[in-house]
Amino acid sequence: QLQLQESGPGLVKPSETLSLTCTVSGGSTGSNDYYWDWIRQPPGKGLEWIGSIYYSGNTYYNPSLRSRVTISVDTSKSQFSLKLSSVTAADTAVYYCARHGYTWPVNWNFDLWGRGTLVTVSS
Amino acid sequence: DIQMTQSPSTLSASVGDRVTITCRASQSINTWLAWYQQKPGRAPNLLIYKASSLESGVPSRFRGSGSGTEFTLTISSLQPDDFATYYCQQYESYSPLTFGGGTKVEIK
């Protein structure tokens, strides 16, 4: 059964770079059937899509975060990663990794999610 | 961006009630809409895709409808396990993919 698991520091200092990794178990980020996503949720608030990556390295980013975001994929390790630079307290959130299907727009909904990891931005 | 507006933001209901949640898009999204259920401390779970298609394993008491700019999620008979927050998401445009603000279904 395919599962996603986020990992990374739970505390990041302001102005530094947030780095998270999502490991795909029971499957591979090398699949040509899916895009791999990062989505975040500030405490008590709604969901915000950060961006997506395909196994080939093709990416889509939320324009509101594009200048600070890099998503990369390592198919040999079945992992994909998020880097968010110049973080502030507003970036404090639960960060989820997820996936959606390849064909736009037919299956660009999120059918599998990780459990999420809380990242707090504080000095 | 396509803005997604859900109403109400909070809904109080009893077990057995019929519950309806509305999601409005700022422009037409055809039927490219999904609904998710989220319980406290858990990741969202896909319920409905393409506005009205039930995800595998989701109880049939959940029904989605609508097209264009107005959509509804109906729970025909609310069960104890259904008290949660529900989100809609549009995927007509990926610049960016956007969610509604959420509707919390509380026990009356």
Side-chain angles (χ1 to χ4, degrees):
Chain A
Q1 183 179 359
L2 197 145
Q3 294 184 322
L4 307 181
Q5 178 67 59
E6 305 87 352
S7 59
L11 182 64
V12 180
K13 290 182 168 57
S15 80
E16 295 190 345
T17 296
L18 179 160
S19 296
L20 294 174
T21 296
C22 182
T23 300
V24 179
S25 57
S28 172
T29 53
S31 168
N32 61 2
D33 290 329
Y34 297 102
Y35 274 84
W36 306 96
D37 297 88
W38 289 99
I39 297 163
R40 70 180 182 177
Q41 184 172 37
K45 296 189 177 180
L47 298 159
E48 180 180 35
W49 174 71
I50 299 171
S52 304
I53 191 163
Y54 194 52
Y55 81 98
S56 62
N58 186 40
T59 53
Y60 294 91
Y61 294 139
N62 190 322
S64 70
L65 296 168
R66 179 178 286 129
S67 63
R68 299 196 291 131
V69 171
T70 302
I71 298 176
S72 58
V73 64
D74 185 337
T75 56
S76 67
K77 295 182 180 179
S78 286
Q79 293 179 334
F80 61 106
S81 298
L82 169 70
K83 291 189 184 299
L84 181 65
S85 65
S86 305
V87 297
T88 69
D91 295 309
T92 293
V94 175
Y95 285 77
Y96 295 100
C97 57
R99 77 174 187 188
H100 70 261
Y102 172 72
T103 306
W104 178 79
V106 175
N107 47 18
W108 274 50
N109 50 73
F110 306 106
D111 68 339
L112 185 67
W113 297 65
R115 298 177 69 175
T117 187
L118 175 63
V119 179
T120 301
V121 178
S122 176
S123 55
Chain B
D1 297 12
I2 298 178
Q3 308 298 324
M4 306 301 293
T5 303
Q6 285 184 236
S7 61
S9 55
T10 305
L11 186 159
S12 296
S14 301
V15 172
D17 284 353
R18 180 184 180 90
V19 165
T20 299
I21 298 168
T22 298
C23 178
R24 289 187 173 87
S26 59
Q27 64 189 72
S28 177
I29 58 170
N30 296 294
T31 56
W32 305 121
L33 183 102
W35 290 97
Y36 301 85
Q37 177 193 68
Q38 186 179 33
K39 297 180 180 178
R42 304 283 296 273
N45 181 52
L46 178 66
L47 300 175
I48 302 281
Y49 61 95
K50 204 172 181 299
S52 61
S53 296
L54 198 66
E55 176 72 348
S56 176
V58 174
S60 59
R61 62 181 179 272
F62 291 92
R63 188 174 73 88
S65 63
S67 65
T69 62
E70 187 152 339
F71 302 85
T72 58
L73 173 69
T74 301
I75 308 172
S76 59
S77 178
L78 198 65
Q79 299 301 300
D81 192 46
D82 301 338
F83 291 97
T85 300
Y86 294 84
Y87 292 94
C88 59
Q89 175 234 334
Q90 68 80 21
Y91 47 107
E92 159 71 22
S93 167
Y94 52 76
S95 191
L97 300 170
T98 49
F99 293 87
T103 296
K104 184 175 182 180
V105 177
E106 296 182 327
I107 300 173
K108 191 171 186 179

